[in-house]
Structures are given as structure tokens and as C-alpha cells.
Amino acid sequence: MSLLHFGLELLKRYPTLFVGNLLLSLLLMVIDAMTLVSIAPIVTLLTKSSGQDSMSPISASIIDALGADQSIEVFLSVFVILTILNSVLLITINYFTLRAQFIVRGDMMLKTAERIFLTSTNFVNQQRQGDFINTLTQEVARVADAFTALTRMMAPASQAVVLLSVPFYISWQVTCTSILAAFVLMVPLRIARKRGYLLGQRHTQNSNRFTTVLQESLGNIRLVSGFSKEQSTLERLTQAFNNVRDGSVKMQLLQSLVHSAYAPIGIIVVFITFLVSRHFGVELAEIAVILYAFNRLMGCFANLNQSKIQLITMYPSFEQVTKIHADAKAARLRFGNHPFKGLKNQIRFDRVSFFYDENGPALKEISVTIPVGSMVALVGISGSGKSTLADTLLGLQQPSEGRILIDDVPMNDLDINSYKARLGYVPQQTSLFHDTIRANIAWANEAASEEDIRAACRMANAETFIESLPDGFETIVGDRGVRLSGGQMQRIALARAFVRSPSILILDEATSALDSESEVAIQSAIESIAGKTTMLIIAHRLSTISRADNIIVLDAGRIVEQGDFKTLMTKGGTFARLVKLQQL
């Protein structure tokens, strides 16, 4: 990606911010031109030079137009005022640039998060979560810094135009000679720009790695402690951080070296400019203007080159953000706008197949009907396709082949937001937010009243144990519900699903890891809404689905048996064998 392409891409995304900075930079350019012109008459009056330079008459005409005297005091006052205006305008530009930086950062972060939230779960599951977190925190911040660096190039670039045009007007020979000398002296700095991209690319990779290691270490802290792997985990984390540190230091050192190199280069160029000016017989006042211009110009070039190095080192961050945008967009599920107001008749899977990759189908020609108000269970060994089938009904995946019909309307035609608003879902791995019990339940339905929350808890057999807690509904559950038992967490998760008054309830192995008492409580809660809500239950403990209207047995993505509990046990097939294995 070239600097021009990068700049045009950011300009296309944020035109208003660019235009605002451009207008301020143009105003700065005008003030710089006036400042340069005001120097000549000061030098002429101070040295009592007999020569007639080309700049003093311009300043004199402006002073005359203002009705002021052409005295040294007036010219000095004008110079001081213009210098102050220049500084004030630079501060103003810096303020708006910083504001724009956070506007860009917030916009990039939220748009990236939106793309991730709206894409398919299959795409998300295939990525390292640490890459997502690093992109949303570090890389979008670096893109915002790149935008800042780009906008900050406008002011010195506009200043450079003026600082070059005035010397050209005075003596093109002197100006061309000085520019050639500066170009030759700055050739070694081009190597730094090539090195910058490689350092930026490595920094992005190291940041991804560090965030992934940090997330995995904290997410598996019980496992780390249980296996006494604290020291090796800390060493792994330290190594990942050291890689980030070393890369960051190298990038910042490179930028510092480039910026510092301009001081000696500037002195040499100014010295050459002075000698060449004397050679061509340039007036002393004009020499002062040229030297002032080139002294300022080297500062502009230093800022421009430093900003360019920053941009180059930040290319990889922008590339990673845009790649995630593009990949997530390509994997996004497409739905229609048909409103869903609740299930009236039935759900029908019509020859549904699903492929994660080329290794074979996760589901193969599934055809089944779920009448409204019925309880349907999915059973089978791990990898048989149970969760994939539930994910398609949840709208987290779309069939590779076949259709899912909701009251004879293809699910792909539904308004997915209105559809999901009528779903209740209890995942296998219950996760709660670090908040109160009340807030965790109300999260699923922000319009729920206090009575709605309590009614949902009663249905989930959770109200009694919640009220027995010291803080009741105001109890903080801890990170992912760590302060509660597994059964308590699962009943709160069930209440969270019930508070939506769902038309369709999907339970993913809701009792698989619970003690017998908790299992009975949740089984009782499920049975209390049987017939009122259409339920799809992924069951691990087969004894909990004895009252299911239909039990679908999956194997390698295919339906091998279906029927009620008694029928399947009498048949003596796969289901009966699974039940007997659990009894053993």
C-alpha cells in the first residue's frame, strides 16, 4: 500500500475532518507568507542598507494601506503579531487534530466491532480471539494515530509551499542550489522509510501474539494453577511482552533518529544558502528572508518526514483492520425484512445440510418438523451435529443447502432482529456479566419490570436461592458468574431466557454439568413451560428428556432415529444403547 493510497482511503472515509484541517492549513500558509515578507523591511531599517530589495516595498505598501508609519517599531510589531498568530493557529490545528483522532478511533473501533458481531459464528470461531481484541484496542488506535500523522502533514506541507515560493521569488538560483543540497543530504533517510514498514508489520504481529497469550492465560487461570504452570505461563507472557517492547522501541527510535537528523542537515543547508546568496549578490535583507525561510523549512521537512515514517509503520495496522472488515463482511449472514411476531404453526427443516469446510458435512439432508408448543430433543455423540442444527435455528449459521421454514416463511426472508427478539437461549457454557443478578436477568429484556424478573426467576426455580443470598437480587455474581455455583448460574441463565417470554426456547445441554438437585430444579422449570413454548433441547443426560414429544437421534450429521422416549427404548436402537451406557 502506497502513502498516496493510504491517504486517499482515509480521505474517502473522513472527508469533513480532512477539509477542516485543510482550511486551517491554508490560513496558516497565508500567515507564514505575511511573516516572511515582514522580515525584509526590519533588516533594511536596522542595517540602513542602501540596496533596494524586492520584499520591503510589499511590506511598505501593506503598512501604507493600514495608515501606519513605516517605522522600525511598526514593522517589528507586525512581525511579533504574525508570529503569535502563527503559534495560536498551530495550537488550534493541534486541538482539532486530536479531536479528529478520537473521532476516527471511535468510528473504526465501533465499525470493526459491528462487523464482528454481525458476521457468522463460524468465521469468528476460526479466528484467534486475541487478534480481535488487539485489533479493537491497539490497531484501531494506531490507525487513528496514522490519521493524526496524515492531517498533521497538511500544516507543514502548506508552510513548505510558502517557505519555498518566497525564496524562489527572490532568487531561483539560490533556492534550487539549496534544495539540491538538502536532497543529497537527506538521501540516507530514505532507508529509514523502507525499514519502517517492516518494523510496523512485526509490531502488529507481536501485539496480536501478546494479546492472545494474555487472554488465554487469564481465561485459563484455574487450569494454570491446577497444573502448577504459573512460572512457565509468566515466562511465555514475558517473552510475548518483550517482543512488543523491542519492536515498539525500535520504531520510536527510528522516528527519533529521523527527526534528530534534520538539525545538523538544516545547519549545513542554511550555511550553503548563505554562501550561495553572497555569491549571487543577493541583498542582505533578502538573504535574511531566505535564511529564515530555509531554517523554518528544515523544521517542516523534519515534521513531514517524521509523520511519513509514522504512517509507514502504521500501514500494517490499517491493513489488519481493513482485512477483518472485508473478511467479516464476506462471511456476514444475509436475512430479509419479513417481520416475525411469534410462532403460530410449526418450524420445518427441509433437507438442511451444512458444511464447515471441505472435510465433509456437519449436517446432511435434515428434514424434521417441530409443531408449535412441542418439546423436541436432539441427542447423539459429540460431533454428531446437535449444536450446528441448533445454531441454524438461532440464526448464527445459515444452511449450506436446504431451507428452514418458520410458519412456511423461509428463515432467510425473516427480519432477523424481530426473530431473535422472540427467542430464548441457554448455552452449554453459562456466562454471566460481572454485575448484579437483577442486571444479568434484565439484560435479556430491558423493558422487563420487577415483577417480570421475579416471575421469570420463579419459573426457573431460582427465586428462593436468590432471596437467601445476603444481597438478594443485588448480589454481584463476579466475572462470568464465578461467585455462584454451576446450578445457580444455570438457573439464572434460564430466568434470563424466560424473562423474554420467548416464542421459541433453545437449551444447549442445560443440565450436563450439574448435580442431581440442580438438575431436578431445572428439569422442573423446563416442564413448567412445556406446551406454552416451543422448545428445542440438546440433551446430554438422556433421563431429562423422558417427556419430550420427539427425540431426534443424530449421527455424523444425519438423523438415524426419531420418536418419543418409550418408542425409541422399545425399538432398541442407537438411542436405547446410549441410555443403557449412561445407566452403567
Side-chain angles (χ1 to χ4, degrees):
M1 181 186 295
S2 67
L3 179 62
L4 178 61
H5 178 264
F6 189 22
L8 290 175
E9 183 65 26
L10 289 176
L11 174 60
K12 183 172 68 175
R13 290 172 182 254
Y14 309 104
T16 304
L17 298 178
F18 265 105
V19 170
N21 277 279
L22 179 60
L23 292 176
L24 288 172
S25 298
L26 291 175
L27 179 58
L28 181 65
M29 185 171 65
V30 172
I31 293 176
D32 266 327
M34 295 171 65
T35 304
L36 280 176
V37 172
S38 70
I39 293 173
I42 296 173
V43 175
T44 299
L45 290 172
L46 286 174
T47 60
K48 296 182 173 55
S49 175
S50 58
Q52 181 61 47
D53 64 87
S54 57
M55 294 286 100
S56 295
I58 299 174
S59 296
S61 63
I62 295 174
I63 295 299
D64 288 338
L66 295 174
D69 296 330
Q70 294 186 27
S71 63
I72 186 67
E73 291 81 5
V74 171
F75 285 117
L76 279 172
S77 298
V78 170
F79 177 76
V80 170
I81 291 171
L82 290 173
T83 302
I84 293 173
L85 283 175
N86 182 282
S87 298
V88 170
L89 192 55
L90 283 173
I91 293 171
T92 304
I93 290 173
N94 189 53
Y95 169 75
F96 282 107
T97 299
L98 289 173
R99 282 184 57 86
Q101 176 186 9
F102 281 94
I103 291 173
V104 171
R105 182 175 179 177
D107 179 67
M108 293 290 288
M109 186 272 290
L110 293 173
K111 283 185 176 178
T112 303
E114 180 185 29
R115 293 286 175 87
I116 294 172
F117 288 146
L118 295 180
T119 193
S120 71
T121 56
N122 188 32
F123 168 78
V124 174
N125 292 336
Q126 291 174 348
Q127 312 302 313
R128 291 194 312 185
Q129 300 304 301
D131 289 1
F132 284 150
I133 295 172
N134 180 60
T135 299
L136 290 170
T137 54
Q138 299 297 320
E139 302 310 311
V140 295
R142 284 169 54 76
V143 172
D145 289 340
F147 175 86
T148 302
L150 189 61
T151 53
R152 280 181 173 162
M153 292 176 72
M154 292 182 181
S158 62
Q159 286 177 297
V161 171
V162 174
L163 294 170
L164 279 174
S165 59
V166 173
F168 258 112
Y169 176 77
I170 295 173
S171 173
W172 66 268
Q173 298 96 329
V174 173
T175 305
C176 288
T177 303
S178 300
I179 290 175
L180 180 61
F183 179 79
V184 172
L185 291 169
M186 289 190 296
V187 166
L189 299 181
R190 296 179 62 85
I191 300 173
R193 291 201 291 269
K194 295 179 181 179
R195 179 69 175 161
Y197 177 80
L198 296 176
L199 288 175
Q201 192 175 48
R202 192 172 303 163
H203 180 73
T204 295
Q205 294 169 352
N206 289 336
S207 294
N208 286 338
R209 176 63 179 165
F210 171 71
T211 307
T212 298
V213 172
L214 180 62
Q215 182 204 21
E216 290 176 349
S217 300
L218 293 176
N220 294 290
I221 193 167
R222 289 172 62 86
L223 184 66
V224 169
S225 180
F227 278 79
S228 188
K229 302 291 287 184
E230 294 92 345
Q231 190 58 42
S232 62
T233 300
L234 285 172
E235 290 174 359
R236 183 166 169 250
L237 190 60
T238 301
Q239 183 59 51
F241 174 78
N242 288 344
N243 291 337
V244 174
R245 177 201 62 195
D246 293 344
S248 182
V249 168
K250 288 178 181 178
M251 281 196 308
Q252 294 184 47
L253 180 61
L254 179 66
Q255 294 171 16
S256 177
L257 286 173
V258 169
H259 190 269
S260 299
Y262 276 90
I265 291 175
I267 292 174
I268 296 172
V269 171
V270 168
F271 179 68
I272 292 173
T273 302
F274 176 76
L275 294 179
V276 174
S277 299
R278 294 295 298 270
H279 174 75
F280 283 103
V282 178
E283 290 290 332
L284 183 60
E286 293 177 332
I287 292 177
V289 173
I290 293 175
L291 292 179
Y292 179 80
F294 270 93
N295 182 61
R296 292 280 305 280
L297 191 60
M298 294 312 296
C300 290
F301 281 154
N303 292 332
L304 281 170
N305 213 34
Q306 186 180 32
S307 295
K308 189 172 182 179
I309 292 292
Q310 286 179 324
L311 284 173
I312 291 171
T313 59
M314 292 168 185
Y315 282 176
S317 298
F318 185 73
E319 289 172 345
Q320 176 159 306
V321 172
T322 52
K323 185 179 186 303
I324 286 181
H325 276 211
D327 292 347
K329 183 179 180 181
R332 183 175 179 176
L333 304 179
R334 306 296 176 184
F335 293 94
N337 53 19
H338 190 284
F340 179 74
K341 299 180 180 179
L343 188 66
K344 305 299 181 185
N345 298 307
Q346 63 182 15
I347 300 167
R348 184 160 65 90
F349 290 81
D350 180 20
R351 300 178 66 84
V352 168
S353 297
F354 185 86
F355 300 84
Y356 283 107
D357 49 39
E358 300 81 11
N359 296 328
L363 297 174
K364 183 63 176 177
E365 296 188 348
I366 300 295
S367 293
V368 66
T369 298
I370 304 176
V372 64
S374 64
M375 181 194 299
V376 174
L378 301 176
V379 302
I381 62 174
S382 297
S384 60
K386 304 185 299 296
S387 293
T388 301
L389 188 63
D391 284 350
T392 61
L393 187 59
L394 277 166
L396 302 179
Q397 304 282 10
Q398 287 179 318
S400 304
E401 298 173 0
R403 300 182 302 168
I404 301 176
L405 301 169
I406 310 294
D407 288 336
D408 296 326
V409 177
M411 188 171 169
N412 289 1
D413 294 340
L414 291 177
D415 169 34
I416 193 62
N417 291 323
S418 67
Y419 173 72
K420 288 184 177 180
R422 303 305 302 271
L423 291 182
Y425 175 50
V426 180
Q428 180 180 3
Q429 299 296 330
T430 303
S431 184
L432 303 179
F433 300 104
H434 187 81
D435 208 332
T436 65
I437 291 176
R438 175 181 282 102
N440 270 280
I441 297 172
W443 175 82
N445 181 7
E446 295 178 356
S449 65
E450 180 67 18
E451 179 52 37
D452 292 333
I453 293 173
R454 288 184 173 275
C457 290
R458 283 193 292 272
M459 291 174 62
N461 284 327
E463 187 177 34
T464 301
F465 93 77
I466 292 173
E467 290 182 337
S468 68
L469 297 173
D471 296 321
F473 280 85
E474 301 306 317
T475 300
I476 300 293
V477 302
D479 184 38
R480 289 174 292 179
V482 69
R483 296 179 182 176
L484 302 176
S485 70
Q488 291 172 334
M489 288 172 58
Q490 202 76 328
R491 276 180 275 176
I492 291 175
L494 198 59
R496 183 171 60 189
F498 287 167
V499 81
R500 306 190 84 178
S501 300
S503 182
I504 302 170
L505 179 63
I506 299 173
L507 306 175
D508 189 352
E509 300 192 10
T511 63
S512 61
L514 302 182
D515 59 87
S516 298
E517 183 179 351
S518 297
E519 179 185 347
V520 170
I522 290 177
Q523 181 63 28
S524 174
I526 294 172
E527 291 177 358
S528 70
I529 63 168
K532 305 173 186 176
T533 300
T534 305
M535 285 185 283
L536 181 69
I537 303 174
I538 297 176
H540 176 72
R541 293 188 178 180
L542 303 183
S543 58
T544 62
I545 55 171
S546 60
R547 299 189 183 182
D549 299 297
N550 189 20
I551 299 172
I552 299 170
V553 184
L554 295 172
D555 185 26
R558 296 175 180 270
I559 296 178
V560 294
E561 288 180 340
Q562 62 177 311
D564 60 29
F565 193 95
K566 182 178 180 181
T567 300
L568 292 177
M569 289 299 294
T570 303
K571 189 176 180 180
T574 301
F575 179 77
R577 180 174 59 83
L578 292 174
V579 172
K580 289 177 182 178
L581 285 174
Q582 286 196 359
Q583 290 174 344
L584 290 174

